Amino acid sequence: KGVEILPELHDTAVRLQRDYMAETVSSERLKFMCDDMLTSSLDNAGVVFLTSVCWDKSVHRAAAVKLANELSVGALVIDYSDQLSEFEEFGKGHVHHTQLSVSWNPNQSFYVFEKVT
């Protein structure tokens, strides 16, 4: 399930799925929703990718609290920052860190956290 709050980005995801993935991934298995992550259900989420590079601190904190409260133990969260380190539910630290090239930064950090409690 992909959740995107901006209608233009949601529409792009749906179009790309229809044009390039329809033969390999059914719309039953992969759904894109135009919704707010803070109100969307995290039921059965095994991996969550936060695109938080331009979120303010209060939005990131609200997302972190939601993840800490709703994700199942063992779920992974990938984020651009290490702010989830502040939460005991994520073991007070990331399990993996890497830097990759993205369109806006040749050395963008990615942190992977595991929900431990």
Side-chain angles (χ1 to χ4, degrees):
K1 174 172 82 170
V3 178
E4 173 56 55
I5 197 167
L6 298 174
E8 299 83 15
L9 292 178
H10 167 263
D11 293 347
T12 298
V14 170
R15 181 178 44 77
L16 289 171
Q17 178 188 17
R18 181 191 67 230
D19 293 350
Y20 298 103
M21 299 175 68
E23 293 177 15
T24 57
V25 180
S26 75
S27 59
E28 310 305 313
R29 291 187 56 220
L30 178 63
K31 292 184 185 287
F32 293 105
M33 301 169 50
C34 190
D35 201 359
D36 184 339
M37 182 263 188
L38 296 177
T39 59
S40 185
S41 171
L42 294 176
D43 288 347
N44 300 317
V47 177
V48 176
F49 191 105
L50 301 178
T51 54
S52 63
V53 75
C54 61
W55 295 358
D56 66 29
K57 184 100 173 147
S58 66
V59 171
H60 197 281
R61 178 126 183 104
V65 167
K66 180 177 180 67
L67 294 167
N69 289 332
E70 295 184 22
L71 286 181
S72 298
V73 170
L76 299 176
V77 179
I78 304 165
D79 196 3
Y80 296 129
S81 80
D82 65 351
Q83 292 181 55
L84 289 179
S85 294
E86 301 172 18
F87 292 81
E88 289 181 21
E89 293 86 353
F90 295 99
K92 292 286 192 178
H94 59 274
V95 295
H96 183 72
H97 172 251
T98 192
Q99 290 186 313
L100 300 170
S101 178
V102 293
S103 63
W104 63 88
N105 184 351
N107 293 305
Q108 177 63 51
S109 285
F110 292 85
Y111 296 87
V112 180
F113 296 86
E114 182 178 4
K115 173 85 182 292
V116 295
T117 63

